[in-house]
Amino acid sequence: MTQRPPASSTEPRSTERSLPKPSVEVIDVASIRALMLSEADVDLSSASSYWIESRVAMLASASSVPPTEWLGVMLKHGSEGSHFRELLELLTPGEVAFFEDESLFETLRRSVLPQVMDCNRGQKQLAVWCVECGTGELPYSLRMLLDERFPESREWSIRTVATDSNEACLQRAKAGRFNQLAIHRGLPPTMLVNYFMRDGFEWEIREEFRRTIEFHSWVPSVRLPDDAAFDLVILGRRLGFLRDSLRRQISDRIQSLLRPGGQVLRAQWEEGEGRGLLAEAGREGCL
Amino acid sequence: MIDVNKLIEQANSLTPLPVTTVRLAQLVCSPDCYLEDVVELIGFDQALTLKLLRAANSAASASAVRYGTVKEAVARLGTAQVLAFAVACSTRPFLQNSIPGYGLDEGALWRHSVASAIAAEVVPELCRVEVPPESFTAALLHDVGKLVMGRFLTPEIRGYLRRAYEVDRLAPREAETLLLKVHHGELGGIIAQHWKLPVRVVQGITHHHSPDRGMDVICDVTYLSNQIAKGIEANLDGRPFEMVIEPEVADRLGIKPKIVESLCPIAALRYAQVGRRYSAV
């Protein structure tokens, strides 16, 4: 979920240093920031230290070792070790709620989807790509929006591709299973009835609907497929963690894949967890 | 840090509410709610009947008249207050407990819950929109999620939460969401759903810190009741308290800024008058 911008996002970090630490262990946050930037292009420079420390503590707790010991192993093995991947995933969360970004979905509903569909009315075909789709709420929300608000789209051939660089997220998205919290966050009750089936404490997206989305693993920094062409591309929140220059490169490359009349939108994202800064959703020339 | 699925599991493992309370909630919140039906239902539950009569006749009810029947008691209190009272009877054993994870001593959450429920009784007198009957129950249970969340808040996690409050000035809901991926309002909503309480009660509890997201007047009323309850408690403790509510909430409820300042004293007076009603629980 997104956070409201705190009033003191520019609070000097010295305030934080003066506060009591939760444990006697001192976690080397600077090394984590440096490693994530050099090995994964993830910029955590503005993320609050306590938030980074808490993610390390979480993983250390799961392994039943002290945080400093866990971190020592992680720093020793660098990006080659499994600890690095685990921490990277926690530091770049991809989960959002269904329809969480109201302005994005309002823009889609009011202008972008009508425009894109107008451009493709002849062929009745549409190709959509959700980049860094997280645990699936974004592409499923998009398909529900199309189905509910643009019923003519049911007669169209719509290809929806959803990619994510995090394998665990991707598997959850593919499974289409969501817990009570995910369901309660922003999903209108009618859509819950129309597109989900309850299974214990979880809800599963209906099979026929789940099949409308192709899920693939794709890391934004790698080359794009040559034959890809899309009418609409939506950039998920995890891209917001990447360093600026890389984001621009990816943006340029993605825009080269657009068909005539195609559009790129950016989901609302935080510039980094713990900073609380939100960027406005909207059409983007670049990231 | 916290396994969200374990939280959900524990929220769904709390002792269910008595059948009478669940049916009463459905009845009171139905558009076809008749006094006779409520009276008949309560009449089947001897324990609730006795407590209700005691509450209606308590000095706190500020009446010299004695109420000898359930019908008289329900007519005296109103069906919505009777529902809140019945829910209070069922949940007091939980709400009375201390919650070290939130720094709440034994009885602290209960007192805050009762103050909120009574504050919710004051709100309709001062706002211009119709307040749903579920509001008192939602206000009573708005912090119920702390019961489960509190079990998971280790000193280490509390340390991180404290730093989120102090470094980034995050509100509790924001800090919990940032660090734990869930806040106590959401967890309370799951508990209310598990207890088969009406959807609007679930909404009011879930969004008591984020009424804009709830898109229902019950969320505004629950939010406001929580704020007023804090004022009541400060008043009782002799602490200074500045009542601040989100302007959007005041707008939606049609409450003028001048009235906001008088909400706490009015509610504190009401609490002094009827607070003991809940002692009969």
Side-chain angles (χ1 to χ4, degrees):
Chain A
M1 289 190 70
T2 53
Q3 297 286 315
R4 191 169 55 186
S8 65
S9 54
T10 54
E11 186 79 9
R13 292 293 175 232
S14 57
T15 306
E16 187 172 0
R17 282 194 293 272
S18 68
L19 292 169
K21 299 282 179 183
S23 71
V24 292
E25 308 229 2
V26 177
I27 295 173
D28 184 0
V29 172
S31 295
I32 296 172
R33 287 194 175 109
L35 187 66
M36 289 296 159
L37 188 61
S38 65
E39 300 299 313
D41 291 308
V42 166
D43 182 0
L44 298 169
S45 58
S46 300
S48 296
S49 297
Y50 68 83
W51 182 74
I52 297 174
E53 288 175 36
S54 72
R55 305 300 95 174
V56 173
M58 188 190 291
L59 291 168
S61 169
S63 304
S64 303
V65 296
T68 47
E69 189 179 321
W70 190 94
L71 186 59
V73 174
M74 200 276 282
L75 293 172
K76 182 180 171 188
H77 293 96
S79 60
E80 300 300 314
S82 60
H83 284 14
F84 177 84
R85 175 55 55 180
E86 290 171 3
L87 185 58
L88 177 63
E89 288 176 1
L90 277 186
L91 291 173
T92 56
E95 303 100 320
V96 292
F98 288 101
F99 300 99
E100 177 172 318
D101 181 351
E102 285 174 27
S103 55
L104 169 72
F105 283 97
E106 195 61 14
T107 306
L108 279 168
R109 187 179 68 82
R110 283 181 181 272
S111 58
V112 171
L113 282 173
Q115 287 167 13
V116 170
M117 289 180 76
D118 273 349
C119 289
N120 293 278
R121 208 165 291 281
Q123 307 90 331
K124 291 190 174 181
Q125 287 182 349
L126 205 60
V128 183
W129 180 17
C130 291
V131 186
E132 294 293 70
C133 68
T135 45
E137 288 88 343
L138 181 62
Y140 287 126
S141 296
L142 175 68
R143 285 307 302 241
M144 283 188 270
L145 178 74
L146 266 171
D147 201 49
E148 294 271 321
R149 296 302 184 107
F150 301 89
E152 63 179 295
S153 69
R154 294 173 194 165
E155 311 294 323
W156 289 36
S157 168
I158 298 181
R159 184 181 183 214
T160 308
V161 178
T163 60
D164 203 276
S165 56
N166 179 328
E167 192 57 35
C169 276
L170 196 65
Q171 290 309 319
R172 284 172 60 191
K174 272 184 189 174
R177 290 178 72 87
F178 300 92
N179 65 28
Q180 281 176 293
L181 286 169
I183 291 295
H184 284 170
R185 288 172 177 162
L187 189 65
T190 50
M191 289 190 177
L192 180 62
V193 172
N194 291 343
Y195 300 103
F196 291 81
M197 289 170 62
R198 186 166 185 167
D199 183 11
F201 296 147
E202 293 187 320
W203 273 262
E204 187 171 3
I205 201 132
R206 290 182 187 277
E207 174 66 15
E208 65 273 20
F209 196 70
R210 191 172 61 78
R211 281 201 210 131
T212 63
I213 300 174
E214 300 170 29
F215 288 98
H216 300 290
S217 177
W218 181 70
V219 178
S221 54
V222 303
R223 195 165 162 270
L224 293 162
D226 292 330
D227 58 344
F230 295 95
D231 303 294
L232 175 62
V233 179
I234 299 178
L235 309 174
R237 72 180 291 200
R238 193 178 292 114
L239 284 167
F241 293 100
L242 298 180
R243 64 182 164 81
D244 289 348
S245 56
L246 180 58
R247 289 210 309 245
R248 275 195 290 276
Q249 284 172 29
I250 294 167
S251 174
D252 291 345
R253 282 152 51 195
I254 285 174
Q255 287 192 62
S256 72
L257 299 178
L258 289 180
R259 288 175 177 157
Q263 299 197 33
V264 182
L265 283 95
R266 184 177 77 177
Q268 190 179 47
W269 64 45
E270 290 165 272
E271 295 297 319
E273 293 285 340
R275 292 180 233 187
L277 295 171
L278 300 177
E280 284 295 314
R283 291 172 59 178
E284 288 292 316
C286 64
L287 284 164
Chain B
M1 183 144 288
I2 285 184
D3 184 338
V4 172
N5 287 327
K6 276 188 184 163
L7 276 174
I8 294 174
E9 198 180 305
Q10 292 215 6
N12 284 293
S13 303
L14 288 179
T15 309
L17 293 186
V19 176
T20 307
T21 309
V22 174
R23 287 178 60 191
L24 187 63
Q26 291 162 350
L27 190 58
V28 168
C29 301
S30 145
D32 302 320
C33 174
Y34 293 103
L35 183 71
E36 290 74 16
D37 296 335
V38 173
V39 171
E40 186 183 353
L41 180 61
I42 292 172
F44 285 119
D45 189 325
Q46 288 188 355
L48 181 57
T49 298
L50 282 172
K51 288 176 180 175
L52 186 62
L53 288 173
R54 204 185 310 154
N57 286 311
S58 68
S61 294
S63 172
V65 182
R66 301 293 298 172
Y67 301 99
T69 67
V70 172
K71 188 172 183 179
E72 289 169 343
V74 174
R76 163 87 180 93
L77 296 171
T79 53
Q81 276 90 343
V82 166
L83 170 61
F85 181 79
V87 171
C89 288
S90 310
T91 56
R92 182 170 184 172
F94 305 113
L95 299 175
Q96 183 71 32
N97 290 334
S98 66
I99 310 179
Y102 280 98
L104 294 169
D105 296 332
E106 187 179 332
L109 180 58
W110 170 249
R111 279 192 299 278
H112 178 65
S113 302
V114 169
S116 299
I118 289 171
E121 293 181 18
V122 174
V123 173
E125 296 166 13
L126 302 167
C127 72
R128 291 183 185 167
V129 297
E130 192 176 336
V131 171
E134 298 95 328
S135 299
F136 312 130
T137 303
L140 179 81
L141 296 179
H142 73 278
D143 270 345
V144 72
K146 288 183 176 177
L147 290 177
V148 173
M149 186 76 102
R151 298 174 188 168
F152 290 79
L153 297 183
T154 60
E156 183 187 34
I157 294 174
R158 290 171 69 186
Y160 289 125
L161 287 170
R162 191 170 59 244
R163 290 167 73 188
Y165 306 148
E166 296 176 5
V167 175
D168 281 334
R169 303 274 195 274
L170 295 184
R173 178 187 70 87
E174 296 167 323
E176 287 176 3
T177 303
L178 177 70
L179 289 161
L180 313 174
K181 297 190 175 182
V182 55
H183 62 81
H184 67 273
E186 290 180 304
L187 209 52
I190 289 177
I191 293 170
Q193 206 170 43
H194 164 63
W195 280 343
K196 297 185 170 59
L197 289 170
V199 173
R200 293 185 93 176
V201 173
V202 174
Q203 282 289 93
I205 293 170
T206 304
H207 298 290
H208 74 269
H209 283 300
S210 51
D212 287 348
R213 286 171 180 252
M215 292 187 288
D216 188 321
V217 67
I218 197 168
C219 304
D220 292 324
V221 175
T222 313
Y223 161 86
L224 183 57
S225 303
N226 180 32
Q227 300 303 110
I228 296 172
K230 289 175 186 172
I232 293 174
E233 291 169 288
N235 186 285
L236 290 173
D237 297 344
R239 285 183 282 117
F241 181 78
E242 187 185 357
M243 179 80 174
V244 179
I245 64 169
E246 291 181 16
E248 295 84 3
V249 173
D251 276 354
R252 284 194 295 265
L253 292 176
I255 294 178
K256 292 176 182 171
K258 279 185 181 176
I259 294 179
V260 170
E261 294 167 14
S262 64
L263 279 171
C264 281
I266 294 171
L269 186 65
R270 180 68 158 261
Y271 183 82
Q273 287 172 341
V274 305
R276 276 185 290 162
R277 178 200 302 158
Y278 285 90
S279 302
V281 165

